[in-house]
Amino acid sequence: QSLVWTVEGRTDPNENGISVSLSTNTSTEVVSDLSITNTVKDEVFICTVIYTLGGSETENVTLKALSATVTADNTTFNSPANVTLTCDYTSSSLTPTFSWSYEGNVIPSETQSTYTILSSVGTDSGKYSCDVTWPTVGTFTAADFVLYIREVVTPTTTYYMGRDIATTTLTCTGYGDALTGVVWTSLLGTNLTAMTARLQTTNYTHEAELDFQHNSISDIVTCKFIYSADGAEITGENKTLQYID
């Protein structure tokens, strides 16, 4: 007698890391081990025993390919939106447990299949992932989900200038996805185009600076961040430049 493994829908059962090894073969017993090292979908494996004197028997084994994916309604939100991330996982008879991580660090006490960020802020931008653990099987780590929370903050809103301070550096900090650029505007009509402006991006943070050169008068300046994906604009708080003679 002999034993043959086949896979529904495959012409070559040994593809994608699947291998068959014959461990015991006697006159009365055939034992075959099926070793599966890489599968990405549910499949049915068919074991067929062919008897020497004729006839055969088959037995089907269904393999569930366990997996997990982090999803959300969108990848980009404006602060202070409430954002819910969902760990979509393979349903089976096993009851899994969950854990969540942010930028590679475990988020304490988050053990449900969903994770909600209430009143999100720009610093919530980053990579999120979930771990799904099935009893007796193991743990699957979902690929990183990159979340962008758009926000513009102005750490300082009032600056003081005088005769001895010819230049004052204004700062705006933005968060979220990629920018087209930053536009600085004087509400009093001061020409800012000749002044030095800088923009530095690190991961999900955008630091914008403007070297404001005063002309012996007070002013009010704003910064406006323009996002590349959809042209959305977010303007920071007014910056008051108070000239003291």
Side-chain angles (χ1 to χ4, degrees), residues 52-176:
T52 304
L53 298 179
S56 64
E57 290 185 73
T58 62
E59 186 73 27
N60 291 355
V61 178
T62 300
L63 176 70
K64 299 285 289 186
L66 301 180
S67 64
T69 305
V70 178
T71 62
D73 290 340
N74 207 332
T75 59
T76 304
F77 299 83
N78 288 347
S79 175
N82 295 334
V83 179
T84 296
L85 305 179
T86 300
C87 190
D88 289 330
Y89 61 97
T90 304
S91 177
S92 71
S93 59
L94 303 175
T95 301
T97 58
F98 305 89
S99 65
W100 287 87
S101 62
Y102 168 69
E103 291 292 317
N105 300 310
V106 174
I107 303 173
S109 304
E110 292 298 334
T111 58
Q112 302 300 314
S113 61
T114 60
Y115 172 58
T116 299
I117 305 169
L118 298 176
S119 301
S120 64
V121 294
T123 52
D124 289 320
S125 299
K127 297 176 182 177
Y128 291 82
S129 182
C130 65
D131 283 355
V132 185
T133 301
W134 287 273
T136 73
V137 177
T139 299
F140 188 97
T141 300
D144 288 335
F145 178 91
V146 181
L147 175 68
Y148 298 104
I149 304 297
R150 293 175 175 176
E151 185 183 26
V152 176
V153 297
T154 51
T156 303
T157 56
T158 302
Y159 297 78
Y160 296 96
M161 304 176 297
R163 292 180 179 180
D164 297 331
I165 306 175
T167 302
T168 299
T169 299
L170 311 182
T171 302
C172 280
T173 303
Y175 298 94

Side-chain angles (χ1 to χ4, degrees), residues 14-34:
N14 293 311
E15 67 180 335
N16 293 340
I18 294 178
S19 60
V20 178
S21 61
L22 191 66
S23 57
T24 303
N25 189 0
T26 68
S27 58
T28 58
E29 182 182 61
V30 175
V31 178
S32 178
D33 294 329
L34 181 65

